[in-house]
């Protein structure tokens, strides 16, 4: 199978990269390292169990390129690529809206306990955990504030995909995502003011408007589009997931290039703290839900909703605050990382039917 050869070629590139890196010739490892991730991603497409990791490996390829050659991902002829972030998020959120329906919000009536516990967990566990990690990190204030920002963001569509794979309650997952997104213009700025106000200046009204224009208006437009043209625009249904993934990839690469120097200083510790933040979200979300009386199936759903945040929105807010290269770093790291951990957790749960 040709895909095995791609993986083999990728591993050879990794070996070549290590030959350069071990003696300290890190600069020469650029092309082999980028090639490793690209070839690995292509190779993964040939294996059902690995196919889901293709997107993440391609993100790693882009991030590696941005770390080695940041000048190509910051601007072109005076045009800053960071200007693309807000419209890209609006396109992604429109796509999210087209994949939803007004009935998704009716889950509040059908599953009130699960929705309430999910939303309460969403807007307490991750913000508080982010605040604790930021306080302990000794990072520069703006970078520390990024840990809190990703914690104060709502969940995204990735959690719905993982809930489906984990044999969790998909309907509950979609409802929590929908309602948490609607609450974000109010709760995210207030939580940021309360928890991150000591690190950076937070203008609550400006942040509310940023979320409304980046999230609420595009999702509303997507919902209306879905209502009017449901089943009549299959090309759009097929295109939006690809556009969304590409958009998130571009955002992460641009942020990485902008914050390259900071990442070189604190990147290792930032990855560790973001990983702890993410995993704590899964664990606390699951066990608190179980403790409050939810079934294991619903607890799995809440765990994934809590642990997987809307990194795109957090990145957009960092851009709107004019602090993409600092506050935007934690969301940029969180996105690819949560896709890996979420996939691993969903695969584990997929093999273990939930106990009722």
């Amino acid at each position: 199978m040709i895909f095995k050869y791609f993986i083999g070629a990728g591993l050879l590139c990794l070996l070549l990269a290590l030959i350069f890196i071990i003696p300290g010739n890190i600069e020469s490892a650029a092309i082999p390292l980028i090639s490793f991730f690209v070839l690995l991603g292509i190779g993964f497409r040939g294996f059902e169990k690995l196919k889901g990791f293709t997107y993440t490996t391609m993100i790693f390829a882009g991030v590696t390129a941005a770390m080695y050659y940041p000048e190509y991902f910051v601007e072109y002829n005076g045009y800053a690529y960071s200007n693309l972030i807000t419209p890209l998020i609006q396109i992604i959120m429109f796509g999210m809206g087209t994949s939803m329906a007004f009935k998704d919000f009716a889950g509040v009536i059908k599953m009130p306990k699960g929705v309430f516990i999910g939303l309460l967990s969403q807007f307490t566990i991750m913000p508080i955990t982010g605040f604790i990690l930021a306080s302990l990190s000794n990072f520069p204030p703006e970078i520390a504030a990024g840990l809190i920002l990703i914690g104060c963001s709502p969940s995204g569509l990735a959690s719905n995909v993982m809930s489906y794979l984990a044999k969790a309650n998909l309907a509950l997952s979609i409802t929590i995502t929908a309602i948490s997104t609607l609450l974000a213009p109010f709760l995210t700025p207030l939580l940021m003011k309360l928890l991150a106000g000591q690190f950076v200046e937070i203008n609550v009204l400006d942040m509310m408007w940023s979320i409304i224009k980046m999230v609420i208006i595009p999702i509303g437009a997507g919902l209306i589009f879905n209502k009017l043209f449901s089943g009549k625009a299959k090309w759009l249904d097929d295109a939006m997931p690809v556009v969304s993934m590409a958009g998130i990839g571009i955002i992460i690469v641009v942020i990485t290039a902008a914050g390259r120097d900071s990442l070189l200083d604190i990147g290792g510790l930032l990855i560790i703290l973001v990983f702890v933040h993410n995993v704590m979200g899964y664990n606390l979300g699951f066990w608190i839900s179980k403790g409050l009386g939810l079934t294991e199936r619903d607890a799995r759903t809440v765990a994934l909703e809590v642990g997987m945040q809307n990194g795109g929105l957090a990145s957009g807010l960092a851009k709107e605050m004019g602090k993409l290269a600092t506050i935007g770093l934690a969301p940029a790291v969180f996105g690819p990382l949560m896709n890996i951990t979420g996939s691993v957790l969903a695969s584990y749960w997929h093999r273990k039917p939930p106990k009722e």
Side-chain angles (χ1 to χ4, degrees):
M1 184 185 291
I2 191 171
F3 293 104
K4 290 182 179 179
Y5 292 110
F6 279 107
I7 293 177
L11 293 175
L12 286 175
C13 288
L14 177 61
L15 178 62
L16 180 60
L18 291 174
I19 290 172
F20 287 123
I21 291 170
I22 291 171
N25 191 8
I26 298 174
E27 291 79 10
S28 299
I31 300 302
L33 207 52
I34 295 168
S35 300
F36 161 66
F37 287 119
V38 171
L39 292 169
L40 199 67
I42 295 172
F44 281 171
R45 297 299 298 168
F47 302 89
E48 197 60 37
K49 291 185 178 180
L50 297 174
K51 191 181 292 185
F53 292 105
T54 295
Y55 175 63
T56 303
T57 55
M58 292 302 183
I59 292 290
F60 283 148
V63 166
T64 304
M67 290 295 288
Y68 273 104
Y69 310 111
E71 63 275 13
Y72 295 112
F73 303 98
V74 174
E75 64 173 17
Y76 179 76
N77 282 348
Y79 179 81
Y81 290 135
S82 59
N83 292 329
L84 296 171
I85 289 178
T86 297
L88 279 173
I89 291 169
Q90 289 171 324
I91 292 170
I92 292 166
M93 292 300 113
F94 173 79
M96 181 176 175
T98 62
S99 68
M100 298 167 66
F102 289 101
K103 63 181 175 60
D104 293 333
F105 299 89
V108 179
I109 300 170
K110 298 175 182 176
M111 304 167 285
K113 183 178 179 180
V115 173
F116 176 75
I117 292 173
L119 292 172
L120 182 65
S121 300
Q122 174 71 47
F123 288 109
T124 55
I125 292 171
M126 290 300 271
I128 293 171
T129 304
F131 172 75
I132 293 170
L133 293 174
S135 301
L136 296 174
S137 69
N138 202 31
F139 284 157
E142 290 184 3
I143 295 177
L147 286 167
I148 302 173
L149 177 59
I150 191 66
C152 294
S153 300
S155 55
L157 280 180
S159 60
N160 304 156
V161 176
M162 298 307 168
S163 289
Y164 172 74
L165 295 176
K167 296 183 178 178
N169 187 337
L170 181 58
L172 177 62
S173 175
I174 292 171
T175 299
I176 293 174
T177 298
I179 303 299
S180 66
T181 301
L182 284 184
L183 293 174
F186 310 101
L187 293 182
T188 297
L190 293 175
L191 287 168
M192 280 296 289
K193 183 70 174 179
L194 177 66
L195 300 174
Q198 63 179 287
F199 295 98
V200 292
E201 182 180 350
I202 303 295
N203 187 312
V204 173
L205 292 179
D206 283 353
M207 189 173 285
M208 282 183 176
W209 169 240
S210 294
I211 297 174
I212 289 170
K213 75 177 182 182
M214 282 193 298
V215 178
I216 302 302
I217 294 175
I219 284 181
L223 280 165
I224 294 170
F225 184 93
N226 188 31
K227 178 73 173 176
L228 296 177
F229 301 102
S230 179
K232 301 175 183 176
K234 189 176 184 304
W235 63 269
L236 185 65
D237 295 336
D238 295 338
M240 284 314 300
V242 177
V243 171
S244 297
M245 289 191 294
I248 290 293
I250 292 169
I251 290 168
I252 290 171
V253 169
V254 169
I255 294 172
T256 300
R260 175 183 182 270
D261 293 340
S262 295
L263 278 172
L264 288 175
D265 289 337
I266 51 88
L269 181 57
L270 181 63
I271 291 170
I272 291 170
L273 292 183
V274 165
F275 176 76
V276 170
H277 196 184
N278 177 223
V279 172
M280 288 293 287
Y282 295 140
N283 279 282
L284 291 175
F286 181 81
W287 292 111
I288 288 174
S289 299
K290 287 277 286 184
L292 292 174
L294 291 188
T295 64
E296 181 172 332
R297 183 165 173 257
D298 288 353
R300 290 182 181 187
T301 307
V302 173
L304 291 165
E305 287 297 310
V306 173
M308 305 190 76
Q309 304 291 82
N310 191 332
L313 171 60
S315 300
L317 290 175
K319 162 65 173 62
E320 292 290 307
M321 296 169 70
K323 303 182 186 300
L324 185 66
T326 50
I327 293 179
L329 288 182
V333 172
F334 195 97
L337 192 66
M338 78 172 186
N339 283 321
I340 295 173
T341 59
S343 297
V344 171
L345 181 58
S347 297
Y348 171 74
W349 273 337
H350 182 79
R351 295 191 297 270
K352 293 185 67 176
K355 300 172 185 176
E356 295 301 333

